[in-house]
């Protein structure tokens, strides 16, 4: 029998950008909040003196321990899914601050067209431009409505950047100027400008200067130490929840953050959520946390699985294409981030320096910035060249044709250690009827609950986009003066490697309750006092990195929760959309 | 799996001198067995002498905590040396301490798969094997291309831990050497060792439980890790791996240098320096 705790106004599951923003905003507004985080407590002190590539990059120190729980994965509906067993194949954040603590920091707003992708595509190119089986939809919110939330999140995070020359309207500039540009980044920007493109510095969650955000949190300037992606920042120079929304929530005195608290069920009665059941992972004791409003602000996998285990909403069934829970799984896997690697014989770059989001980018081939009449796909993505700061273990890039071990490998890997740069394309991954999430029939977690099962396969559309991007990146590399250019190959199929953290969908947003689980306040259509916030809400992916969109949606959701606490009821009006899937 | 390891040495009751003499054959293209001699014992260290230098302390770390059988360890060592050989650029795997690095990794949580999902049922079908043997061309690309060891990805679907796979793999190297050349793996000519390693790389060697490619990939991954991880883990001895690569080790800040055009070579510093000892 679970131990019952004192009821609060709001219980939030997860402490990353989604859960963290919602917790801070509601605590600031004076509501009593309990935030539950499955992982451990951590802070900046935990990262001082541990710049250790083996431990963090190769042994995934900051990623979820998969021993108690993972996901299963398959390509086709008729396949048997297998567990993704190792952390080399499945990276999901955990611990206080979530995945955002070890993110790189690349920050992009998604484009106006992303939010109305289906209707705008039809408007410009006709219905036949959308391939059979593609289940993209409008978000039920426009870029103009999203803009204030983007702005708010950028200011909280202290994003350092310059506007995208081909970007949509902004109400204000980024709060901080762009980061310094290394010679490699300058080379990318100068070259692509010469080619007639519109490059700009990647907007970064690595700060270009000391900054105090609107909540009074202080951040420092990034020092390019390179221990960034997959690491926590030891200098409070990365925009993450540990540096911003978590201390903000704590300071109010209204928010209790409980770590080592694994939420296993959303409790509900008569169509209303009543709270959550969670287990203290250290003691094994079960607790019940009652609340007026339940917010799931966890990682997309967790948000999906919790609704399924709690039997809330209707599971999507690919046979009938009906049901909303688990629909439109999307994300960026081994068919995205493909491009070309250039090897330079007469140039050496200080590649051991860098920061997660140090880079140059252009969006000439993103969204609808280019004419799609003569290409065999819709939407697009950014082209980036990043300088993360290379570790010694991971930089063994050698020109293709080099053996992968032995004398020649050693010679080339050492010779090219500081001589190769890569440009890649980050195309938007569209949604399809056959890509979805449900519970696995066979494999269980340590409590005997079914694991989450992903069914995900590639389409010609994905492959066409990837090919297009590789060609563009290869041209850029050539112009940059690379002596050897290795183009990435387009993979035939999904390889079940979940790295990079960009996995989304399942509990998607929209205007029509038939095809979406949440409305444009991230409120469940079927349960007024349950909000589901995060990447799980993306009906399809955008052509750039997702973090700022998750941050913006969290501000939108926080507003919704407050509105609900004051007024009750459904906050958005349901509309019927005809999907001729 | 039945073992076909020759027991001539052990049956004779092995003496240290004998052992060094027997293993001091040309290995990995190196003369005089100095590398292997160092693997077995630090002959420079006088018994009962007080320890008074860093060098001597580091030698105290040169002991096995996973491989109980020294012959297995010699096979592992010979294999790593072929993957990452000594050349005019600098030391190879053995001199860098890579075998000890691997030994320690296998004795710890990684070798025991402590944080991996190891619940059944385990499918042991051709499909799984084929997956493990997939080509590695896509490993160098994707969202984490910059932060991954460039070894092929495989899909782990075996109840064996990495420690089990290594034990099995090292013994399979020896068995293949016996079948092909009727000689211990670590006594073969470099060319012959390469031939056998290539068979493992190609998935053509016989192994129990996993495809030989799976073992080979782990061996290659850990060899490269051992060459370049912080010396605290037992490899990259004296930061020689980093020196070859002109990698400086952990630093607090590059703000002053990030815009500089010229390549900057720094004297490497380890975690031990960084943590302020």
């Amino acid at each position: 029998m679970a131990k019952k705790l004192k009821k609060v106004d709001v219980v939030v599951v997860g402490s990353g950008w989604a859960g963290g923003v919602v917790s801070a905003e509601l605590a600031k507004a004076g509501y009593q909040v309990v935030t539950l985080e499955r992982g451990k407590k951590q802070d900046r002190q935990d990262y001082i003196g541990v710049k250790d590539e083996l431990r963090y990059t190769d042994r995934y120190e900051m990623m979820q321990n998969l021993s108690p729980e993972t996901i299963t994965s398959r390509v086709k509906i008729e396949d048997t899914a297998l567990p993704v067993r190792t952390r080399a194949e499945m990276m999901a954040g955990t611990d206080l601050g979530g995945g955002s603590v070890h993110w790189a920091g690349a920050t992009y707003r998604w484009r106006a067209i992303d939010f109305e992708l289906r209707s705008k595509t039809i408007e410009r190119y006709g219905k036949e431009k959308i391939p059979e089986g593609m289940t993209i939809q409008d978000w039920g919110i426009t870029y103009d409505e999203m803009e204030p939330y983007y702005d708010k999140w950028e200011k909280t995070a202290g994003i350092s950047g310059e506007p995208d020359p081909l970007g949509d309207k902004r109400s204000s500039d980024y709060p901080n100027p762009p980061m310094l540009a290394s010679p490699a980044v300058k080379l990318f920007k100068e070259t692509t400008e010469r080619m007639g493109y519109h490059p700009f510095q990647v907007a970064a969650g690595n700060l270009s200067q000391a900054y105090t955000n609107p909540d009074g949190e202080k951040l420092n300037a990034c020092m390019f130490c390179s221990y960034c992606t997959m690491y926590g920042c030891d200098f409070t120079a990365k925009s993450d929840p540990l540096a911003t929304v978590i201390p903000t929530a704590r300071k109010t005195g209204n928010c209790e953050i409980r770590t080592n608290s694994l939420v296993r069920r959303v409790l509900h009665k008569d169509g209303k959520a009543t709270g959550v059941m969670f287990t203290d992972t250290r003691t094994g004791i079960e607790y019940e946390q009652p609340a007026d409003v339940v917010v799931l602000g966890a990682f997309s996998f967790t948000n999906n699985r919790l609704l399924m285990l709690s039997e809330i909403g209707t599971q999507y069934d690919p046979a009938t294409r009906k049901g909303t829970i688990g629909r439109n799984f999307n994300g960026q896997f081994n068919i995205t981030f493909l491009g070309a690697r250039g090897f330079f014989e007469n140039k050496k770059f200080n590649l051991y320096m860098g920061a997660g989001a140090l880079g140059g980018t252009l969006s000439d081939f993103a969204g609808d910035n280019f004419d799609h009449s003569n290409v065999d796909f819709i939407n697009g993505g950014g082209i980036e060249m990043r300088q993360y700061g290379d570790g010694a273990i991971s930089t063994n890039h050698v020109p293709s044709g080099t053996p992968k071990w032995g004398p020649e490998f050693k010679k080339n890997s050492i010779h090219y250690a500081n001589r190769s740069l890569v440009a890649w394309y980050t195309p938007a991954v569209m949604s399809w009827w056959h890509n979805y999430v449900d519970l696995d029939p066979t494999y269980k977690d340590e409590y005997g609950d079914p694991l989450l099962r992903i069914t995900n396969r590639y389409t010609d559309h994905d492959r066409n986009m990837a090919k297009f991007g590789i060609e563009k990146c290869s041209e850029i590399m050539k112009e940059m003066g690379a002596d050897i250019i290795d183009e990435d190959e387009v993979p035939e199929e999904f390889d079940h490697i979940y790295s990079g953290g960009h996995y989304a969908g399942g509990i998607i947003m929209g205007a029509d309750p038939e095809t979406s689980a949440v409305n444009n306040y991230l409120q469940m259509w079927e349960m007024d006092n349950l909000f589901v916030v995060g990447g799980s809400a993306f009906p399809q992916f955008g052509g750039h990195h997702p973090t700022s969109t998750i941050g913006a949606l969290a501000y939108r959701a926080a507003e919704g929760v407050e509105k609900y606490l004051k007024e009750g009821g459904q906050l958005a009006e349901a509309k019927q959309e005809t999907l001729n899937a | 799996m039945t073992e076909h390891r020759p027991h001539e040495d052990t049956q004779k009751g092995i003496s240290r001198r004998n052992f060094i003499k027997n293993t001091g054959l040309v290995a990995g293209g190196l003369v005089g067995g100095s590398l292997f001699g160092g693997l077995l014992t630090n002959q420079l260290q006088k018994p009962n002498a007080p320890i008074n230098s860093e060098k001597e302390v580091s030698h105290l770390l040169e002991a096995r905590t996973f491989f109980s059988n020294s012959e297995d360890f010699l096979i592992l060592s010979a294999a790593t040396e072929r993957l990452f050989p000594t050349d005019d650029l600098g030391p190879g795997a053995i001199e860098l301490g890579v075998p000890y690095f691997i030994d320690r990794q296998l004795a710890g949580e990684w070798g025991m798969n402590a944080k991996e999902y190891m619940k059944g049922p385990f499918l042991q079908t051709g499909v799984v094997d084929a997956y493990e043997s997939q080509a590695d061309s896509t490993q160098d690309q994707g969202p984490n291309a910059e932060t991954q060891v460039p070894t092929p990805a495989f899909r782990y679907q075996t109840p064996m831990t990495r420690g089990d796979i290594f034990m099995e793999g090292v013994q399979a190297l020896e068995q293949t050497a016996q079948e092909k050349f009727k000689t211990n793996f670590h006594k073969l000519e470099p060319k012959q060792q390469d031939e056998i390693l290539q068979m493992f790389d190609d998935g053509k060697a016989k192994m129990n439980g996993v495809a030989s490619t799976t073992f080979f990939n782990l061996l290659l991954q850990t060899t490269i890790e051992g060459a370049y991880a912080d010396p605290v883990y037992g490899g990259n001895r004296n930061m020689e791996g980093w020196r070859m690569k002109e990698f400086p080790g952990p630093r607090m800040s590059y703000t002053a240098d990030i815009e500089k055009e010229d390549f900057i070579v720094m004297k490497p510093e380890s975690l031990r320096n960084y943590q302020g000892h």
Side-chain angles (χ1 to χ4, degrees):
Chain A
M1 196 53 210
K3 196 173 158 202
K4 204 162 178 171
L5 301 166
K6 195 170 140 288
K7 187 175 170 187
V8 291
D9 298 317
V10 185
V11 64
V12 179
V13 182
S15 64
W17 276 126
V21 164
V22 172
S23 302
E25 288 304 289
L26 292 160
K28 272 159 60 183
Y31 295 101
Q32 291 305 302
V33 180
V34 167
T35 306
L36 299 170
E37 166 56 50
R38 71 189 294 176
K40 64 181 190 300
K41 181 170 136 291
Q42 60 182 353
D43 63 27
R44 178 175 90 92
Q45 301 293 334
D46 289 304
Y47 303 110
I48 295 174
V50 289
K51 297 183 192 286
D52 180 343
E53 187 187 10
L54 184 78
R55 183 175 173 189
Y56 288 87
T57 299
D58 296 87
R59 298 292 179 263
Y60 309 98
E61 176 79 15
M62 295 184 71
M63 305 299 160
Q64 251 177 58
N65 176 357
L66 301 182
S67 156
E69 180 204 326
T70 184
I71 55 169
T72 68
S73 182
R74 62 180 180 175
V75 165
K76 293 197 178 97
I77 293 166
E78 55 273 19
D79 296 347
T80 302
L82 294 174
V84 184
R85 296 183 177 277
T86 69
R87 299 205 287 181
E89 302 157 283
M90 156 75 171
M91 275 173 42
T94 184
D95 301 338
L96 191 64
S100 330
V101 177
H102 50 77
W103 76 310
T107 303
Y108 295 82
R109 292 182 178 195
W110 282 358
R111 299 174 180 278
I113 190 167
D114 281 312
F115 298 99
E116 298 168 281
L117 186 62
R118 191 166 183 278
S119 52
K120 293 280 185 223
T121 302
I122 292 169
E123 197 177 297
R124 185 167 170 186
Y125 301 103
K127 251 201 175 107
E128 58 286 357
K129 188 73 183 171
I130 299 176
E132 163 61 27
M134 188 189 270
T135 51
I136 56 170
Q137 63 182 48
D138 294 0
W139 291 49
I141 196 166
T142 63
Y143 173 82
D144 288 344
E145 290 168 310
M146 283 290 285
E147 205 283 336
Y149 306 110
Y150 272 127
D151 187 66
K152 201 164 179 172
W153 180 80
E154 286 163 4
K155 289 187 165 99
T156 298
I159 300 301
S160 304
E162 58 192 1
D164 174 357
L166 303 177
D168 297 290
K169 211 165 73 252
R170 306 176 54 97
S171 58
S172 64
D173 208 337
Y174 285 109
N176 290 302
M179 303 181 89
L180 298 174
S182 66
V185 173
K186 281 196 193 103
L187 177 65
F188 173 87
K189 284 163 76 175
E190 286 161 9
T191 305
T192 50
E193 188 143 13
R194 207 172 54 235
M195 293 169 80
Y197 299 143
H198 302 79
F200 59 104
Q201 189 92 0
V202 174
N206 325 111
L207 278 82
S208 59
Q209 59 187 14
Y211 172 74
T212 305
N213 83 1
D215 294 315
E217 311 303 341
K218 292 184 165 49
L219 292 97
N220 301 312
C222 165
M223 298 195 293
F224 304 95
C225 82
S226 87
Y227 294 85
C228 191
T229 313
M230 317 266 291
Y231 300 77
C233 182
D234 62 346
F235 195 54
T236 317
K238 197 199 278 190
S239 317
D240 66 26
L242 290 184
T244 58
V245 290
I246 288 169
T248 300
R250 279 200 183 118
K251 268 190 312 214
T252 62
N254 298 325
C255 181
E256 184 200 351
I257 299 175
R258 281 191 69 139
T259 47
N260 304 104
S261 301
L262 177 70
V263 176
R264 293 177 39 221
R265 291 292 185 282
V266 176
L267 305 168
H268 56 101
K269 198 171 171 238
D270 307 329
K272 275 269 191 293
T274 57
V276 297
M277 183 275 275
F278 68 93
T279 300
D280 181 322
T281 55
R282 289 189 186 169
T283 61
I285 297 170
E286 284 182 10
Y287 295 90
E288 184 182 323
Q289 177 61 66
D292 287 330
V293 174
V294 174
V295 179
L296 304 187
F299 194 55
S300 60
F301 288 161
T302 303
N303 285 353
N304 272 276
R305 187 164 176 255
L306 271 176
L307 289 182
M308 291 170 192
L309 291 175
S310 311
E311 298 178 339
I312 294 168
T314 313
Q315 171 68 48
Y316 172 75
D317 179 358
T320 59
R321 304 195 191 180
K322 296 237 177 318
T324 55
I325 307 298
R327 183 190 191 89
N328 280 25
F329 175 76
N330 63 84
Q332 296 186 302
F333 300 99
N334 63 321
I335 194 124
T336 51
F337 296 92
L338 302 179
R341 180 174 293 277
F343 295 88
F344 296 78
E345 290 301 344
N346 305 316
K347 271 203 194 81
K348 273 173 98 175
F349 303 94
N350 291 306
L351 294 180
Y352 55 83
M353 309 175 186
L358 175 62
T361 184
L362 51 92
S363 59
D364 295 70
F365 302 105
D368 205 25
N369 288 348
F370 60 115
D371 185 17
H372 286 68
S373 305
N374 299 317
V375 295
D376 43 11
F377 58 87
I378 62 165
N379 211 324
I383 289 179
E384 288 185 327
M385 201 223 58
R386 304 264 286 275
Q387 186 175 336
Y388 290 99
D390 290 342
I393 301 169
S394 56
T395 49
N396 287 287
H397 303 293
V398 286
S400 72
T402 306
K404 62 182 188 199
W405 53 275
E408 200 187 332
F409 165 78
K410 183 185 174 187
K411 202 168 100 291
N412 279 357
S413 62
I414 288 170
H415 175 71
Y416 289 109
N418 289 289
R419 295 174 190 271
S420 91
L421 301 174
V422 63
W424 59 37
Y425 193 43
T426 64
V429 176
M430 299 294 94
S431 298
W432 302 83
W433 70 271
H434 47 69
N435 294 347
Y436 70 105
V437 194
D438 64 354
L439 292 175
D440 191 89
T442 309
Y443 293 94
K444 306 267 190 290
D445 72 4
E446 65 175 333
Y447 302 100
D449 285 328
L451 299 183
L452 194 72
R453 175 172 67 178
I454 312 284
T455 306
N456 185 47
R457 69 181 165 95
Y458 295 153
T459 60
D460 287 341
H461 184 271
D462 298 323
R463 289 181 272 264
N464 298 342
M465 279 180 118
K467 191 169 165 289
F468 176 87
I470 290 166
E471 285 163 13
K472 297 288 175 224
C473 292
S474 188
E475 287 163 17
I476 290 171
M477 261 310 145
K478 190 169 167 229
E479 283 293 320
M480 282 170 69
D483 298 287
I484 302 169
I485 296 170
D486 282 349
E487 293 185 2
D488 285 335
E489 290 165 42
V490 178
E492 276 168 46
E493 197 42 273
F494 177 43
D495 63 356
H496 306 283
I497 306 281
Y498 294 78
S499 65
H502 298 179
Y503 339 125
I507 314 298
I508 65 173
M509 255 171 105
D512 183 354
E514 287 297 309
T515 57
S516 59
V518 296
N519 65 25
N520 63 22
Y521 280 103
L522 293 299
Q523 179 187 34
M524 292 281 297
W525 289 112
E526 298 193 41
M527 202 171 274
D528 293 349
N529 67 337
L530 176 60
F531 290 71
V532 187
V533 192
S536 53
F538 301 165
Q540 58 273 336
F541 219 78
H544 299 286
H545 300 268
T547 303
S548 67
T549 303
I550 292 171
L553 287 177
Y555 277 107
R556 170 79 182 171
E559 201 175 285
V561 173
E562 203 174 343
K563 217 169 138 97
Y564 173 82
L565 284 163
K566 287 186 176 126
E567 304 162 21
Q570 269 295 311
L571 304 170
E573 193 191 332
K575 295 191 183 86
Q576 262 210 304
E577 300 208 333
T578 48
L579 269 186
N580 63 339
Chain B
M1 182 170 161
T2 46
E3 292 193 29
H4 296 267
R5 199 184 306 157
H7 287 290
E8 40 175 335
D9 283 350
T10 37
Q11 283 157 354
K12 271 192 289 195
I14 185 166
S15 75
R16 210 184 76 193
R17 191 190 313 163
N18 230 344
F19 183 87
I20 291 170
K21 204 170 69 192
N22 289 341
T23 55
L25 297 156
V26 176
L30 285 144
V31 184
S34 59
L35 289 173
F36 281 144
L39 280 177
L40 187 68
T41 168
N42 171 27
Q43 297 168 59
L44 303 173
Q45 208 172 303
K46 295 188 186 72
N48 308 325
I51 292 161
N52 54 10
S53 81
E54 236 177 75
K55 195 168 172 177
E56 286 183 24
V57 171
S58 82
H59 282 305
L60 297 181
L61 302 174
E62 293 169 24
R64 291 173 278 111
T65 60
F66 177 80
F67 287 96
S68 49
N69 181 321
S70 61
E71 185 135 351
D72 289 337
F73 191 63
L74 289 174
I75 295 162
L76 172 82
S77 304
T80 61
E81 183 66 22
R82 292 313 301 148
L83 300 185
F84 198 87
T86 303
D87 59 12
D88 52 5
L89 292 166
I94 290 177
E95 205 179 324
L96 288 168
V98 167
Y100 287 106
F101 168 88
I102 294 175
D103 180 86
R104 270 199 244 168
Q105 287 294 307
L106 296 176
E109 71 169 31
W110 187 78
M112 291 189 265
N113 291 32
K115 290 184 173 171
E116 325 296 10
Y117 184 80
M118 298 301 282
K119 298 181 197 348
F122 284 91
L123 287 186
Q124 292 294 346
T125 64
V127 175
V128 172
D129 256 11
Y131 216 110
E132 290 169 343
S133 310
Q134 70 178 358
D136 61 318
S137 57
T138 58
Q139 181 66 160
D140 231 15
Q141 53 194 45
N144 276 311
E146 293 296 344
T147 57
Q148 293 298 297
V149 179
T151 53
F154 57 88
R155 215 172 158 201
Y156 206 104
Q157 292 298 343
T158 169
M160 294 164 81
T161 64
R162 297 185 183 95
D164 296 336
I165 293 172
F166 266 86
M167 283 312 293
E168 198 71 46
V170 162
Q171 285 162 21
L173 282 173
E174 175 64 13
Q175 199 172 327
T176 311
Q178 293 295 341
E179 284 168 15
K180 275 183 86 79
F181 304 110
K182 304 198 172 24
T183 312
N184 298 115
F185 179 85
H186 59 273
K187 292 178 186 167
L188 292 172
E189 292 296 319
K191 251 192 149 73
Q192 297 169 315
Q193 291 175 337
D194 287 355
E195 203 179 312
I196 291 174
L197 287 165
Q198 194 60 57
M199 281 173 66
F200 277 73
D201 187 2
D202 296 340
K204 290 186 178 134
K206 277 203 303 275
M207 260 189 79
N208 194 22
V210 291
S212 64
T213 308
T214 300
F215 163 63
F216 183 87
N217 291 344
L218 283 170
L219 179 68
L220 179 56
Q221 177 192 338
T222 47
T223 299
I224 293 185
E225 285 169 347
Y228 296 120
D230 192 275
V232 71
Y233 295 102
N236 185 17
R237 187 158 302 166
N238 303 325
M239 299 183 278
E240 290 299 333
W242 286 354
R243 257 186 213 97
M244 282 188 277
K245 239 187 192 179
E246 298 172 314
F247 181 75
R251 301 294 167 122
M252 194 179 292
S253 172
Y254 295 118
T255 304
D257 297 322
I258 191 72
E259 289 179 291
K260 288 193 178 140
E261 290 286 342
D262 294 334
F263 187 71
I264 301 165
V265 181
M266 302 183 186
K267 192 169 165 280
E269 287 177 12
S270 71
L271 269 180
R272 190 165 181 268
N273 309 126
Y274 188 75
Q275 290 176 7
H277 291 278

